[in-house]
mmCIF file of all heavy atoms in Angstrom:
data_model
loop_
_atom_site.group_PDB
_atom_site.id
_atom_site.type_symbol
_atom_site.label_atom_id
_atom_site.label_comp_id
_atom_site.label_asym_id
_atom_site.label_seq_id
_atom_site.Cartn_x
_atom_site.Cartn_y
_atom_site.Cartn_z
ATOM 1 N N GLU A 9 103.534 82.655 98.026
ATOM 2 C CA GLU A 9 102.530 83.584 98.448
ATOM 3 C C GLU A 9 101.995 84.370 97.302
ATOM 4 O O GLU A 9 102.758 84.775 96.395
ATOM 5 C CB GLU A 9 103.172 84.469 99.494
ATOM 6 C CG GLU A 9 102.217 85.300 100.304
ATOM 7 C CD GLU A 9 101.439 84.425 101.319
ATOM 8 O OE1 GLU A 9 101.931 84.078 102.352
ATOM 9 O OE2 GLU A 9 100.269 84.009 100.958
ATOM 10 N N ASN A 10 100.672 84.727 97.391
ATOM 11 C CA ASN A 10 100.016 85.506 96.366
ATOM 12 C C ASN A 10 99.640 86.867 96.913
ATOM 13 O O ASN A 10 99.075 86.918 98.017
ATOM 14 C CB ASN A 10 98.778 84.865 95.797
ATOM 15 C CG ASN A 10 99.116 83.706 94.796
ATOM 16 O OD1 ASN A 10 100.228 83.625 94.383
ATOM 17 N ND2 ASN A 10 98.114 82.947 94.421
ATOM 18 N N VAL A 11 99.927 87.992 96.169
ATOM 19 C CA VAL A 11 99.516 89.305 96.646
ATOM 20 C C VAL A 11 98.946 90.051 95.478
ATOM 21 O O VAL A 11 99.447 90.052 94.380
ATOM 22 C CB VAL A 11 100.777 90.070 97.156
ATOM 23 C CG1 VAL A 11 100.314 91.510 97.556
ATOM 24 C CG2 VAL A 11 101.372 89.279 98.327
ATOM 25 N N LEU A 12 97.769 90.679 95.712
ATOM 26 C CA LEU A 12 97.114 91.534 94.663
ATOM 27 C C LEU A 12 97.194 93.028 95.094
ATOM 28 O O LEU A 12 96.867 93.309 96.252
ATOM 29 C CB LEU A 12 95.642 91.124 94.561
ATOM 30 C CG LEU A 12 94.719 91.947 93.676
ATOM 31 C CD1 LEU A 12 95.373 91.974 92.220
ATOM 32 C CD2 LEU A 12 93.326 91.372 93.679
ATOM 33 N N PHE A 13 97.693 93.848 94.279
ATOM 34 C CA PHE A 13 97.862 95.237 94.567
ATOM 35 C C PHE A 13 97.151 96.107 93.546
ATOM 36 O O PHE A 13 97.344 96.039 92.409
ATOM 37 C CB PHE A 13 99.342 95.595 94.627
ATOM 38 C CG PHE A 13 99.609 97.054 94.826
ATOM 39 C CD1 PHE A 13 99.048 97.777 95.906
ATOM 40 C CD2 PHE A 13 100.465 97.765 94.001
ATOM 41 C CE1 PHE A 13 99.335 99.101 96.039
ATOM 42 C CE2 PHE A 13 100.741 99.136 94.184
ATOM 43 C CZ PHE A 13 100.188 99.802 95.245
ATOM 44 N N PHE A 14 96.190 96.968 94.017
ATOM 45 C CA PHE A 14 95.523 97.977 93.165
ATOM 46 C C PHE A 14 96.306 99.256 93.391
ATOM 47 O O PHE A 14 96.274 99.911 94.467
ATOM 48 C CB PHE A 14 94.059 98.200 93.628
ATOM 49 C CG PHE A 14 93.204 97.026 93.221
ATOM 50 C CD1 PHE A 14 93.014 95.896 94.004
ATOM 51 C CD2 PHE A 14 92.512 97.064 92.017
ATOM 52 C CE1 PHE A 14 92.224 94.882 93.590
ATOM 53 C CE2 PHE A 14 91.724 96.025 91.591
ATOM 54 C CZ PHE A 14 91.549 94.950 92.447
ATOM 55 N N SER A 15 96.982 99.745 92.303
ATOM 56 C CA SER A 15 97.916 100.776 92.373
ATOM 57 C C SER A 15 97.311 102.177 92.196
ATOM 58 O O SER A 15 97.892 103.134 92.545
ATOM 59 C CB SER A 15 99.025 100.651 91.373
ATOM 60 O OG SER A 15 98.503 100.604 90.085
ATOM 61 N N ASN A 16 96.097 102.238 91.637
ATOM 62 C CA ASN A 16 95.424 103.513 91.347
ATOM 63 C C ASN A 16 94.986 104.188 92.648
ATOM 64 O O ASN A 16 94.322 103.648 93.409
ATOM 65 C CB ASN A 16 94.282 103.306 90.427
ATOM 66 C CG ASN A 16 93.871 104.659 89.779
ATOM 67 O OD1 ASN A 16 93.553 105.644 90.426
ATOM 68 N ND2 ASN A 16 93.799 104.696 88.433
ATOM 69 N N PRO A 17 95.423 105.455 92.907
ATOM 70 C CA PRO A 17 94.994 106.119 94.105
ATOM 71 C C PRO A 17 93.527 106.410 94.239
ATOM 72 O O PRO A 17 93.011 106.705 95.307
ATOM 73 C CB PRO A 17 95.820 107.441 94.106
ATOM 74 C CG PRO A 17 96.117 107.690 92.648
ATOM 75 C CD PRO A 17 96.259 106.328 92.026
ATOM 76 N N TYR A 18 92.803 106.281 93.087
ATOM 77 C CA TYR A 18 91.399 106.610 93.091
ATOM 78 C C TYR A 18 90.521 105.324 93.116
ATOM 79 O O TYR A 18 89.504 105.282 92.461
ATOM 80 C CB TYR A 18 91.055 107.521 91.888
ATOM 81 C CG TYR A 18 91.751 108.766 91.884
ATOM 82 C CD1 TYR A 18 92.807 109.003 91.003
ATOM 83 C CD2 TYR A 18 91.490 109.808 92.739
ATOM 84 C CE1 TYR A 18 93.618 110.186 90.978
ATOM 85 C CE2 TYR A 18 92.176 111.022 92.792
ATOM 86 C CZ TYR A 18 93.249 111.122 91.922
ATOM 87 O OH TYR A 18 93.931 112.349 91.885
ATOM 88 N N VAL A 19 90.983 104.354 93.760
ATOM 89 C CA VAL A 19 90.281 103.055 93.800
ATOM 90 C C VAL A 19 89.773 102.873 95.245
ATOM 91 O O VAL A 19 90.448 103.223 96.216
ATOM 92 C CB VAL A 19 91.176 101.842 93.377
ATOM 93 C CG1 VAL A 19 92.267 101.560 94.408
ATOM 94 C CG2 VAL A 19 90.257 100.624 93.146
ATOM 95 N N LYS A 20 88.614 102.246 95.336
ATOM 96 C CA LYS A 20 88.055 101.914 96.666
ATOM 97 C C LYS A 20 87.563 100.466 96.570
ATOM 98 O O LYS A 20 86.781 100.072 95.692
ATOM 99 C CB LYS A 20 86.831 102.816 97.002
ATOM 100 C CG LYS A 20 86.298 102.577 98.437
ATOM 101 C CD LYS A 20 85.199 103.554 98.744
ATOM 102 C CE LYS A 20 84.658 103.323 100.163
ATOM 103 N NZ LYS A 20 83.524 104.327 100.477
ATOM 104 N N LEU A 21 88.054 99.678 97.488
ATOM 105 C CA LEU A 21 87.750 98.232 97.444
ATOM 106 C C LEU A 21 86.661 97.847 98.444
ATOM 107 O O LEU A 21 86.691 98.215 99.649
ATOM 108 C CB LEU A 21 89.018 97.426 97.779
ATOM 109 C CG LEU A 21 90.269 97.680 96.943
ATOM 110 C CD1 LEU A 21 91.439 96.819 97.433
ATOM 111 C CD2 LEU A 21 89.961 97.390 95.516
ATOM 112 N N LYS A 22 85.662 97.112 97.886
ATOM 113 C CA LYS A 22 84.597 96.522 98.726
ATOM 114 C C LYS A 22 84.544 95.051 98.432
ATOM 115 O O LYS A 22 83.678 94.602 97.667
ATOM 116 C CB LYS A 22 83.276 97.204 98.386
ATOM 117 C CG LYS A 22 83.222 98.722 98.836
ATOM 118 C CD LYS A 22 81.853 99.314 98.641
ATOM 119 C CE LYS A 22 81.766 100.709 99.190
ATOM 120 N NZ LYS A 22 80.452 101.352 98.979
ATOM 121 N N LEU A 23 85.493 94.354 98.988
ATOM 122 C CA LEU A 23 85.692 92.914 98.679
ATOM 123 C C LEU A 23 85.490 92.045 99.902
ATOM 124 O O LEU A 23 85.732 92.378 101.030
ATOM 125 C CB LEU A 23 87.150 92.702 98.144
ATOM 126 C CG LEU A 23 87.522 93.577 96.958
ATOM 127 C CD1 LEU A 23 88.990 93.387 96.630
ATOM 128 C CD2 LEU A 23 86.687 93.252 95.724
ATOM 129 N N THR A 24 84.905 90.865 99.652
ATOM 130 C CA THR A 24 84.820 89.841 100.679
ATOM 131 C C THR A 24 85.923 88.865 100.422
ATOM 132 O O THR A 24 85.943 88.124 99.472
ATOM 133 C CB THR A 24 83.456 89.182 100.596
ATOM 134 O OG1 THR A 24 82.399 90.136 100.645
ATOM 135 C CG2 THR A 24 83.307 88.096 101.715
ATOM 136 N N LEU A 25 86.906 88.834 101.391
ATOM 137 C CA LEU A 25 88.086 87.989 101.154
ATOM 138 C C LEU A 25 88.306 87.032 102.210
ATOM 139 O O LEU A 25 87.721 87.089 103.318
ATOM 140 C CB LEU A 25 89.277 88.969 101.116
ATOM 141 C CG LEU A 25 89.302 90.049 100.059
ATOM 142 C CD1 LEU A 25 90.408 91.032 100.270
ATOM 143 C CD2 LEU A 25 89.293 89.484 98.647
ATOM 144 N N GLY A 26 89.178 86.068 102.018
ATOM 145 C CA GLY A 26 89.513 85.059 102.970
ATOM 146 C C GLY A 26 90.852 85.425 103.734
ATOM 147 O O GLY A 26 91.420 86.454 103.334
ATOM 148 N N VAL A 27 91.144 84.642 104.657
ATOM 149 C CA VAL A 27 92.359 84.941 105.490
ATOM 150 C C VAL A 27 93.628 84.954 104.597
ATOM 151 O O VAL A 27 94.484 85.756 104.827
ATOM 152 C CB VAL A 27 92.487 83.941 106.648
ATOM 153 C CG1 VAL A 27 93.769 84.184 107.383
ATOM 154 C CG2 VAL A 27 91.334 83.946 107.531
ATOM 155 N N ASN A 28 93.739 84.109 103.658
ATOM 156 C CA ASN A 28 94.918 83.989 102.774
ATOM 157 C C ASN A 28 94.848 84.842 101.543
ATOM 158 O O ASN A 28 95.734 84.711 100.656
ATOM 159 C CB ASN A 28 95.114 82.562 102.403
ATOM 160 C CG ASN A 28 95.456 81.631 103.597
ATOM 161 O OD1 ASN A 28 96.146 82.106 104.489
ATOM 162 N ND2 ASN A 28 94.959 80.434 103.622
ATOM 163 N N ASN A 29 93.865 85.729 101.450
ATOM 164 C CA ASN A 29 93.776 86.588 100.287
ATOM 165 C C ASN A 29 94.381 87.926 100.676
ATOM 166 O O ASN A 29 93.814 88.702 101.442
ATOM 167 C CB ASN A 29 92.341 86.792 99.869
ATOM 168 C CG ASN A 29 91.629 85.577 99.365
ATOM 169 O OD1 ASN A 29 90.479 85.207 99.831
ATOM 170 N ND2 ASN A 29 92.319 84.776 98.587
ATOM 171 N N HIS A 30 95.542 88.243 100.217
ATOM 172 C CA HIS A 30 96.277 89.382 100.560
ATOM 173 C C HIS A 30 96.073 90.468 99.454
ATOM 174 O O HIS A 30 96.675 90.421 98.342
ATOM 175 C CB HIS A 30 97.726 89.095 100.713
ATOM 176 C CG HIS A 30 98.054 88.010 101.685
ATOM 177 N ND1 HIS A 30 97.737 88.075 102.982
ATOM 178 C CD2 HIS A 30 98.617 86.780 101.487
ATOM 179 C CE1 HIS A 30 98.029 86.967 103.620
ATOM 180 N NE2 HIS A 30 98.571 86.171 102.669
ATOM 181 N N VAL A 31 95.179 91.418 99.710
ATOM 182 C CA VAL A 31 94.813 92.420 98.751
ATOM 183 C C VAL A 31 95.033 93.800 99.325
ATOM 184 O O VAL A 31 94.610 94.058 100.417
ATOM 185 C CB VAL A 31 93.317 92.343 98.264
ATOM 186 C CG1 VAL A 31 93.032 93.357 97.235
ATOM 187 C CG2 VAL A 31 93.102 90.867 97.689
ATOM 188 N N PHE A 32 95.783 94.675 98.577
ATOM 189 C CA PHE A 32 96.090 96.012 99.150
ATOM 190 C C PHE A 32 95.838 97.073 98.049
ATOM 191 O O PHE A 32 95.901 96.849 96.867
ATOM 192 C CB PHE A 32 97.594 96.096 99.483
ATOM 193 C CG PHE A 32 98.005 95.007 100.435
ATOM 194 C CD1 PHE A 32 98.602 93.822 100.062
ATOM 195 C CD2 PHE A 32 97.867 95.300 101.806
ATOM 196 C CE1 PHE A 32 99.001 92.891 100.965
ATOM 197 C CE2 PHE A 32 98.265 94.315 102.769
ATOM 198 C CZ PHE A 32 98.831 93.141 102.366
ATOM 199 N N SER A 33 95.473 98.272 98.483
ATOM 200 C CA SER A 33 95.333 99.429 97.627
ATOM 201 C C SER A 33 96.241 100.590 98.118
ATOM 202 O O SER A 33 96.223 101.681 97.480
ATOM 203 C CB SER A 33 93.897 99.893 97.606
ATOM 204 O OG SER A 33 93.468 100.226 98.939
ATOM 205 N N ASP A 34 97.042 100.375 99.123
ATOM 206 C CA ASP A 34 97.920 101.310 99.701
ATOM 207 C C ASP A 34 99.358 100.792 99.526
ATOM 208 O O ASP A 34 99.665 99.694 99.974
ATOM 209 C CB ASP A 34 97.602 101.638 101.095
ATOM 210 C CG ASP A 34 98.571 102.645 101.707
ATOM 211 O OD1 ASP A 34 98.259 103.914 101.622
ATOM 212 O OD2 ASP A 34 99.596 102.312 102.260
ATOM 213 N N ARG A 35 100.220 101.613 98.868
ATOM 214 C CA ARG A 35 101.543 101.143 98.674
ATOM 215 C C ARG A 35 102.352 100.797 99.909
ATOM 216 O O ARG A 35 103.075 99.795 100.037
ATOM 217 C CB ARG A 35 102.363 102.194 97.840
ATOM 218 C CG ARG A 35 103.715 101.780 97.404
ATOM 219 C CD ARG A 35 104.658 102.929 97.034
ATOM 220 N NE ARG A 35 103.946 103.897 96.138
ATOM 221 C CZ ARG A 35 104.492 105.083 95.870
ATOM 222 N NH1 ARG A 35 105.662 105.465 96.444
ATOM 223 N NH2 ARG A 35 103.898 105.900 95.018
ATOM 224 N N SER A 36 102.156 101.617 100.950
ATOM 225 C CA SER A 36 102.978 101.449 102.168
ATOM 226 C C SER A 36 102.459 100.142 102.847
ATOM 227 O O SER A 36 103.329 99.379 103.428
ATOM 228 C CB SER A 36 102.720 102.611 103.167
ATOM 229 O OG SER A 36 103.299 103.827 102.612
ATOM 230 N N GLU A 37 101.178 99.871 102.801
ATOM 231 C CA GLU A 37 100.689 98.591 103.374
ATOM 232 C C GLU A 37 101.280 97.353 102.672
ATOM 233 O O GLU A 37 101.626 96.330 103.370
ATOM 234 C CB GLU A 37 99.201 98.546 103.398
ATOM 235 C CG GLU A 37 98.502 99.563 104.305
ATOM 236 C CD GLU A 37 96.986 99.444 104.213
ATOM 237 O OE1 GLU A 37 96.500 98.611 103.451
ATOM 238 O OE2 GLU A 37 96.328 100.132 104.963
ATOM 239 N N LEU A 38 101.331 97.464 101.415
ATOM 240 C CA LEU A 38 101.964 96.348 100.637
ATOM 241 C C LEU A 38 103.392 96.183 100.997
ATOM 242 O O LEU A 38 103.831 94.982 101.202
ATOM 243 C CB LEU A 38 101.820 96.640 99.135
ATOM 244 C CG LEU A 38 102.535 95.751 98.167
ATOM 245 C CD1 LEU A 38 102.092 94.316 98.261
ATOM 246 C CD2 LEU A 38 102.480 96.235 96.747
ATOM 247 N N ILE A 39 104.181 97.214 100.986
ATOM 248 C CA ILE A 39 105.592 97.160 101.289
ATOM 249 C C ILE A 39 105.769 96.639 102.714
ATOM 250 O O ILE A 39 106.715 95.759 102.944
ATOM 251 C CB ILE A 39 106.268 98.586 101.155
ATOM 252 C CG1 ILE A 39 106.211 98.946 99.713
ATOM 253 C CG2 ILE A 39 107.682 98.534 101.704
ATOM 254 C CD1 ILE A 39 106.584 100.433 99.439
ATOM 255 N N ASN A 40 104.984 97.105 103.720
ATOM 256 C CA ASN A 40 105.147 96.582 105.107
ATOM 257 C C ASN A 40 104.778 95.123 105.107
ATOM 258 O O ASN A 40 105.482 94.399 105.950
ATOM 259 C CB ASN A 40 104.210 97.379 106.019
ATOM 260 C CG ASN A 40 104.747 98.821 106.198
ATOM 261 O OD1 ASN A 40 105.854 99.132 105.989
ATOM 262 N ND2 ASN A 40 103.791 99.696 106.510
ATOM 263 N N PHE A 41 103.836 94.647 104.377
ATOM 264 C CA PHE A 41 103.424 93.280 104.442
ATOM 265 C C PHE A 41 104.544 92.417 103.920
ATOM 266 O O PHE A 41 104.932 91.364 104.568
ATOM 267 C CB PHE A 41 102.228 93.051 103.550
ATOM 268 C CG PHE A 41 101.885 91.576 103.295
ATOM 269 C CD1 PHE A 41 101.220 90.858 104.299
ATOM 270 C CD2 PHE A 41 102.255 90.961 102.156
ATOM 271 C CE1 PHE A 41 101.002 89.500 104.112
ATOM 272 C CE2 PHE A 41 101.966 89.588 101.952
ATOM 273 C CZ PHE A 41 101.326 88.885 102.937
#
C-alpha cells in the first residue's frame, strides 16, 4: 500500500485523485487509516 502525507499544518490540498490514491494532510486521519 502507498500513502502520501503532507505534514505541514499550513498546507491546503486541491488534488484530483483516484480511489487507490491515499493522500492525507491531517495526522489523525493518517493514523486512523
Side-chain angles (χ1 to χ4, degrees):
E9 195 70 80
N10 282 350
V11 178
L12 175 60
F13 176 51
F14 285 88
S15 60
N16 197 304
Y18 301 104
V19 70
K20 184 176 182 180
L21 305 180
K22 293 186 177 181
L23 305 173
T24 303
L25 304 170
V27 177
N28 294 323
N29 299 134
H30 307 297
V31 181
F32 303 96
S33 59
D34 182 88
R35 188 199 308 169
S36 296
E37 289 182 358
L38 169 64
I39 293 169
N40 290 337
F41 171 79

